Amino acid sequence: MNTRATTSDEDENESFMPVDTVVGRATRVFRAGFSGSLALLIVGMVLIVTRKQSLPSHLVPLDEIVPGLIEGSAAPFVTLGILTMILTPVISTVTICLTFLQQGDRRYARLSAVVVLILILSISLSLR
Amino acid sequence: MGIAAGFAAIFGSMLGLGGGVLLVPLLTLFFGVDPKVAVGASAVCVVTNSVVGSSVHMRSGFTNIRLAMLLQTTTALGAISGAAIAISANPNVINFVLGIVLIYSAFSMLSQRRIPVPNAPPDAPDPLALRGSYRDQASRRIVEYVPERIRLGLAISGGSGVLSGMLGIGGGVIQVPLMNLLMRIPVKAAAGTSSFMVGMTAVATAAVFYSQDKLDPRVVVPCMIGIFLGAQIGSQITRRLPTHRLIIIFVLVLAYLGISLVLKAIGIGLPGQD
């Protein structure tokens, strides 16, 4: 069996730079995702403390989130915080797909698109 | 519960395991959480650990996004079928299967510890453009690699997806040894790539549990908060320490939890556990 990994003191090859762009954009999406999720969870926790409520035992259904947010209930904020986190990898994968497409890397743009489609399909099936 | 999740996240993020493989037994064994609720919470926590940990791993160059996208095609399909099985499965069966997976992982990690980072020529064939590189802070060198045995990797990734969906773990317990032992990928790159992949895999699992109303915020929220901190700590440790120093502790933890779960599944509880 050929061993194909190598360790060297050479600087990084220029051919890796396009991937660095993908990594940079994906990292920004991840940071935005967990910052947004954390902010929503904190708002939910603050509402729970100030209104002397307790953490809900169930998440709010999708169609009740917006009315609940308008009412200022804690549970919809907590639910949205959790859902924001769950959806972050999906948004990141879409971003990666678009970046590969922009770079003309059709093979990995197609593969990323397949992953996005599987993710969307699985989420859609599970929410029915 | 948040501290337990943070502990799981440190080890999970450090070794690319997502954290679910530790969190599910911690929740069921020490906090008396129903296994199905624990699996659902774990799926959300695996996503959290992946998102937080990967943002550090990516900057370190440990994440091979092309390889992740390739392997993820079969992993995601496996996760869908695994999650469907978990909803109707007996809790004892879930505990038993998870216990066996943990014991297997312990042996894999132990054997992985003795395998040196492979050396090879830099002009190795790379038809799928999967070459990766990163600067290893521990050895202060640039590490370059080209993954091998792609077809076998795709097949085993599908199997790890099934386990992930069924057990609410990220699948990293299979993916990391697979990438390192069979695909000849350095441990840190395997951990970074796996950490990224487990989040995508767990998304489908988490959605299934949300639709089944099996996500309990009283369990999920404290765990997420613990993971926000633990994942960042774990990712930073990966950058600075040689992984083999951490593997021995990890093997002991996995073996203990695995044996505990198998014993619980057959009706033998250890002292101090619910």
Side-chain angles (χ1 to χ4, degrees):
Chain A
M1 181 183 65
N2 293 328
T3 308
R4 293 182 183 171
T6 185
T7 304
S8 75
D9 291 318
E10 295 171 6
D11 291 332
E12 289 185 42
N13 191 304
E14 286 183 1
S15 65
F16 301 127
M17 294 312 289
V19 176
D20 287 341
T21 307
V22 177
V23 166
R25 291 183 183 175
T27 304
R28 282 196 289 275
V29 172
F30 276 176
R31 284 183 184 168
F34 80 71
S35 300
S37 172
L38 186 60
L40 286 162
L41 289 177
I42 289 171
V43 170
M45 300 302 283
V46 168
L47 286 171
I48 285 169
V49 171
T50 56
R51 298 188 174 190
K52 296 179 180 176
Q53 299 172 343
S54 56
L55 265 173
S57 59
H58 298 276
L59 294 184
V60 175
L62 284 177
D63 56 350
E64 295 175 18
I65 290 177
V66 174
L69 291 174
I70 294 169
E71 286 176 12
S73 304
F77 280 97
V78 171
T79 301
L80 197 57
I82 292 171
L83 293 181
T84 299
M85 181 58 74
I86 292 173
L87 289 176
T88 297
V90 181
I91 298 166
S92 169
T93 310
V94 171
T95 305
I96 288 167
C97 177
L98 294 174
T99 308
F100 276 135
L101 201 61
Q102 192 180 35
Q103 293 178 342
D105 190 342
R106 291 184 182 178
R107 175 190 283 159
Y108 285 96
R110 278 197 296 267
L111 271 174
S112 307
V114 168
V115 173
V116 171
L117 285 175
I118 294 170
L119 285 173
I120 292 172
L121 180 68
S122 61
I123 292 170
S124 303
L125 287 173
S126 66
L127 294 179
R128 287 179 66 182
Chain B
M1 205 176 282
I3 293 169
F7 166 78
I10 289 174
F11 281 94
S13 179
M14 205 158 54
L15 293 168
L17 305 185
V21 72
L22 292 169
L23 191 55
V24 172
L26 283 173
L27 291 176
T28 54
L29 290 175
F30 295 103
F31 295 96
V33 176
D34 177 81
K36 287 178 185 172
V37 173
V39 169
S42 169
V44 177
C45 292
V46 169
V47 175
T48 307
N49 200 6
S50 170
V51 168
V52 179
S54 288
S55 62
V56 179
H57 285 316
M58 282 181 174
R59 275 184 298 161
S60 306
F62 298 155
T63 309
N64 187 329
I65 289 185
R66 285 187 171 124
L67 178 65
M69 287 299 156
L70 184 64
L71 296 180
Q72 192 60 26
T73 52
T74 54
T75 307
L77 288 173
I80 296 171
S81 53
I85 295 168
I87 292 296
S88 56
N90 185 317
N92 284 335
V93 174
I94 294 179
N95 282 334
F96 186 80
V97 173
L98 180 54
I100 296 297
V101 169
L102 294 184
I103 293 167
Y104 160 79
S105 300
F107 280 109
S108 297
M109 286 291 182
L110 198 60
S111 59
Q112 180 178 273
R113 176 182 63 90
R114 295 174 181 167
I115 297 174
V117 175
N119 295 315
D123 57 347
D126 184 20
L128 294 177
L130 290 171
R131 178 183 293 273
S133 71
Y134 62 89
R135 184 180 295 277
D136 186 4
Q137 284 197 353
S139 62
R140 298 187 175 189
R141 296 168 74 87
I142 300 292
V143 177
E144 294 185 34
Y145 61 93
V146 178
E148 298 179 3
R149 297 174 173 172
I150 303 300
R151 288 181 184 173
L152 182 61
L154 282 167
I156 300 179
S157 287
S160 77
V162 173
L163 279 174
S164 167
M166 191 172 158
L167 304 173
I169 61 176
V173 284
I174 311 291
Q175 294 279 16
V176 175
L178 155 75
M179 286 191 222
N180 183 243
L181 299 173
L182 297 180
M183 301 180 76
R184 313 294 286 176
I185 298 169
V187 170
K188 287 190 176 181
T193 304
S194 171
S195 181
F196 175 65
M197 288 177 62
V198 295
M200 289 189 285
T201 308
V203 163
T205 312
V208 169
F209 280 87
Y210 173 63
S211 70
Q212 299 287 336
D213 201 19
K214 291 287 184 186
L215 294 182
D216 185 343
R218 295 171 302 179
V219 179
V220 174
V221 172
C223 290
M224 281 180 75
I225 291 169
I227 283 171
F228 276 123
L229 299 173
Q232 297 195 53
I233 294 169
S235 305
Q236 294 292 347
I237 291 173
T238 305
R239 293 178 67 192
R240 291 175 169 81
L241 286 183
T243 306
H244 68 271
R245 292 186 181 176
L246 306 165
I247 287 178
I248 293 295
I249 300 171
F250 194 74
V251 164
L252 292 173
V253 172
L254 283 181
Y256 168 73
L257 292 174
I259 292 166
S260 300
L261 280 172
V262 169
L263 291 175
K264 188 180 182 186
I266 60 175
I268 303 171
L270 295 179
Q273 297 172 352
D274 290 331

